């Protein structure tokens, strides 16, 4: 089947979070299952064209946004030597020549994000109109691509559309002014909805042939907790029949301690000595005492409140008193960054904060830490806890969304991590203390590591679920 896979981030070219990891790995897995995957994404100036062999195709055209004409140019990566898996980029310097993907360095979104991603979607519609691509199915991701289902229906294009939600918190709201940028017939359709539903997300829910999110528990939570699906709670419930949850997987080579290209010391469940070397490397990198007996806790993530940083910041002092070492990697909110920085300045031998996007360091933290904290308030799927499990780095997580679907609480007999049920600092602290107490019992800790590292988080099962959904949708057409 010909599939057009449209995403605002694709690893390894561009990445802000988990969407990139999924858009890098899932099409690869589907191409291996004989689907014709054509991935298309913006060509941000941060993408290394030379490293990834990205060249202009010569295809270019213009689209209208409001009364203004904008040019785009199609590039292709020649990195993949696989005719089943092509990767195309849309280039326009005005919209994509930035130092980040969505935000300024201070974590604030670009003021023209609505324009940028509307432009991206209009280019895709233009390419379809011109017959450059002939997909039977279009797979859209998050609000940056969520107007495509409506535009596809409006032009009666003969393809099915699947819309995947990676995070319901970002819905892409439209103001009255934004609507004037849309083609007139599309703006008219949007206006038929209640003003509160003027968002790309609402249109995705309404017009896609099927909608899914990235874990079964998050799907259930969105349907049952109005606090998570906001103004679209009723709408989401009204489309239940076409809504499901499919758990993300992890790339089997790139996020595998035996083959990870970023690690100097590889290891597997059969021999964890490489993990000890990674820990020593990480302790030295952070300027900590290089000692295998001291528990080392890692944390990687976008600095946003929903990732549970308020719980971490209010429990950190108590945990530092217990002699624990912490390494944080993340950028975003200035407040959270300041909080972490203050701790790292006060306790330089125990807290190390890296306010940057650093892919290699992320891999070293996964491999070198003993534990990984991820007390998210909600979590659509979460990938870092999955990577942690694979790397024998025991996760401490809140029982929510994909965290609940992937981490099994250690009950004294079986488990792969430490899970707390109520989103509160005290419950998080108790889970951390439980983990730290267990860490001092080496045999038990090793048992939990074995349990975690032998679980299957490959893309196989999830890719099969997507493939079935693709075929079901196109058969019904
Ligand atoms: P989300 O998609 O909500 O950001 P996920 O856990 O699903 O969270 O995925 C986050 C991905 O982004 C992981 O691959 C993680 O390692 C990566 N990541 C997040 N922040 C950073 C950072 N500062 N440096 C390197 N990688 C990061």
């Amino acid at each position: 089947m010909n599939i057009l896979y449209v995403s605002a981030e694709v690893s390894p070219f561009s990445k802000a979070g988990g969407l990139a990891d999924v858009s890098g790995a899932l099409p690869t897995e589907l191409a291996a299952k004989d689907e014709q995957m054509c991935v298309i994404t913006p060509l941000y100036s941060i993408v290394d064209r030379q490293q990834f062999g990205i060249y202009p195709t010569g295809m270019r055209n213009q689209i209208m946004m409001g009364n203004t004409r904008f040019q785009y140019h199609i590039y292709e990566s020649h990195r993949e030597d696989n005719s089943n898996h092509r990767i195309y980029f849309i280039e326009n310097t005005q919209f994509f020549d930035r130092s980040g993907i969505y935000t300024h360095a201070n974590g604030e979104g670009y003021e023209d994000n609505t324009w940028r991603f509307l432009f991206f979607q209009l280019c895709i519609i233009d390419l379809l109109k011109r017959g450059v691509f002939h997909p039977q199915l279009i797979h859209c991701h998050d609000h940056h691509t969520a107007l495509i289902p409506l535009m596809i229906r409006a032009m009666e294009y003969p393809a099915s559309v699947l819309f995947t939600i990676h995070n319901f918190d970002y819905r892409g709201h439209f103001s009255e002014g934004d609507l004037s940028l849309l083609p007139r017939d599309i703006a008219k359709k949007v206006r038929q909805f209640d003003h509160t539903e003027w968002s790309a997300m609402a249109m995705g829910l309404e017009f896609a042939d099927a909608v899914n999110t990235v874990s079964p528990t998050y799907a259930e939570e969105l349907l049952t907790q109005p606090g998570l699906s906001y103004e679209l709670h009723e709408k989401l419930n009204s489309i239940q029949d076409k809504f499901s949850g499919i758990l993300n997987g992890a790339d089997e080579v790139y996020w595998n301690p035996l083959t990870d290209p970023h690690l100097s010391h590889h290891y597997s469940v059969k021999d964890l000595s490489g993990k000890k070397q990674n820990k020593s490397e990480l302790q030295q990198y952070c300027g900590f005492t290089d000692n295998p007996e001291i528990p080392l806790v890692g944390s990687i993530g976008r600095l946003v409140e929903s990732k549970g940083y308020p719980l971490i910041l209010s429990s950190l002092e108590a945990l530092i008193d217990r002699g624990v070492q912490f390494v944080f990697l993340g950028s975003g909110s200035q407040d959270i960054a300041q909080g972490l920085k203050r701790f790292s300045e006060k306790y330089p031998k125990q807290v190390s904060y890296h306010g940057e996007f650093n892919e290699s360091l992320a891999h070293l933290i996964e491999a070198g830490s003993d534990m990984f904290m991820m007390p998210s308030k909600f979590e659509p799927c979460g990938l870092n806890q999955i990577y942690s499990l694979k790397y024998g780095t025991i996760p401490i997580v809140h029982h929510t969304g994909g965290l609940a679907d992937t981490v099994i609480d250690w009950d004294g007999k079986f488990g792969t991590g430490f899970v707390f049920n109520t989103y509160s600092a005290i419950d998080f602290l108790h889970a951390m203390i439980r983990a730290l107490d267990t860490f001092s019992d080496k045999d038990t800790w090793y048992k939990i590591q074995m349990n975690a590292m032998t679980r299957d988080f490959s893309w196989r099962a999830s890719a099969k679920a997507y493939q079935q959904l693709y075929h079901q949708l196109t058969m019904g057409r």
Side-chain angles (χ1 to χ4, degrees), residues 41 43 55-62 70-76 88-92 119 123 127:
T41 188
L43 186 55
Y55 300 106
T57 60
M59 267 186 282
R60 58 172 83 222
N61 203 18
Q62 301 175 343
F70 294 92
Q71 228 192 46
Y72 71 89
H73 197 159
I74 303 296
Y75 282 61
E76 183 178 2
Y88 294 98
F89 299 84
I90 289 180
E91 193 248 15
N92 169 295
F119 168 78
C123 293
L127 288 164

Side-chain angles (χ1 to χ4, degrees), residues 230-251:
Y230 306 98
E231 76 282 357
L232 298 179
H233 189 69
E234 273 175 35
K235 177 177 285 295
L236 192 61
N237 273 279
S238 74
I239 61 144
Q240 269 199 58
D241 290 351
K242 63 172 185 180
F243 179 58
S244 62
I246 301 176
L247 192 70
N248 284 336
D251 189 295

Side-chain angles (χ1 to χ4, degrees), residues 311 314-320 322 396 420 424-436:
L311 305 196
S314 55
S315 316
L316 211 52
E317 196 95 43
L319 293 164
I320 289 168
R322 290 176 161 253
I396 295 106
F420 62 99
S424 72
I426 191 74
D427 284 47
F428 167 61
L429 186 60
H430 283 155
M432 285 298 296
I433 292 173
R434 218 154 45 88
L436 292 167

Side-chain angles (χ1 to χ4, degrees), residues 49-233:
R49 299 181 191 196
Q50 207 174 350
Q51 182 188 358
F52 298 122
I54 297 170
Y55 300 106
T57 60
M59 267 186 282
R60 58 172 83 222
N61 203 18
Q62 301 175 343
I63 55 105
M64 290 295 288
M65 243 191 330
N67 295 323
T68 318
R69 206 174 280 284
F70 294 92
Q71 228 192 46
Y72 71 89
H73 197 159
I74 303 296
Y75 282 61
E76 183 178 2
S77 166
H78 295 267
R79 174 179 176 259
E80 294 283 337
D81 186 22
N82 180 349
S83 60
N84 270 4
H85 189 188
R86 324 285 304 221
I87 299 170
Y88 294 98
F89 299 84
I90 289 180
E91 193 248 15
N92 169 295
T93 37
Q94 178 177 346
F95 293 124
F96 302 132
D97 187 0
R98 309 279 162 104
S99 56
I101 295 180
Y102 310 119
T103 64
H104 295 281
N106 65 4
E108 296 288 325
Y110 292 124
E111 294 69 20
D112 59 349
N113 272 345
T114 308
W115 286 62
R116 298 172 75 222
F117 293 104
L118 179 59
F119 168 78
F120 175 52
Q121 296 174 87
L122 289 172
C123 293
I124 288 171
I125 295 297
D126 189 56
L127 288 164
L128 291 170
K129 276 189 184 148
R130 292 167 56 214
V132 175
F133 301 118
H134 304 274
Q136 290 149 283
L137 185 131
I138 304 171
H139 190 171
C140 300
H141 298 266
D142 274 352
H143 73 89
H144 328 98
T145 62
L147 268 185
I148 291 176
L150 164 55
M151 296 198 274
I152 287 292
R153 288 291 84 84
M155 68 196 264
E156 296 184 8
Y157 190 85
S160 306
V161 188
L162 171 62
F163 173 50
T164 299
I165 301 165
H166 296 259
N167 196 332
F168 213 89
D169 244 23
Y170 307 104
R171 297 188 291 292
H173 288 104
F174 298 125
S175 65
E176 178 68 43
D178 293 334
L179 291 192
S180 65
L181 300 176
L182 304 182
R184 242 184 235 127
D185 57 328
I186 302 300
K188 198 168 153 200
K189 285 257 192 226
V190 176
R191 278 206 180 84
Q192 286 168 359
F193 290 85
D194 186 272
H195 187 268
T196 54
E197 293 189 9
W198 286 5
S199 65
M201 177 73 82
M203 298 306 122
L205 297 184
E206 181 77 25
F207 293 101
D209 296 294
V211 179
N212 80 300
T213 188
V214 288
S215 72
T217 297
Y218 187 58
E220 186 62 32
E221 288 170 347
L222 286 173
L223 290 170
T224 52
Q225 298 180 24
L228 286 184
S229 39
Y230 306 98
E231 76 282 357
L232 298 179
H233 189 69

Side-chain angles (χ1 to χ4, degrees), residues 15 17-18 21 302 307 329-330 356-358 382-384 387:
K15 173 166 166 178
D21 288 3
R302 293 177 295 115
K307 291 283 179 194
L329 171 62
E356 58 185 323
F357 198 94
N358 185 334
L383 289 170
N384 276 119
Y387 302 151

Side-chain angles (χ1 to χ4, degrees), residues 324-367:
V324 182
Q325 297 173 339
F326 291 94
V327 51
F328 291 96
L329 171 62
S331 53
S333 148
Q334 291 299 295
D335 285 350
I336 299 170
Q338 281 307 324
L340 295 172
K341 200 159 165 260
R342 266 196 296 274
F343 275 108
S344 69
E345 282 163 2
K346 191 167 170 195
Y347 303 102
K349 284 278 167 201
Q350 280 179 269
V351 180
S352 179
Y353 167 56
H354 306 267
E356 58 185 323
F357 198 94
N358 185 334
E359 189 73 24
S360 295
L361 181 56
H363 286 249
L364 181 61
I365 291 175
E366 285 294 2

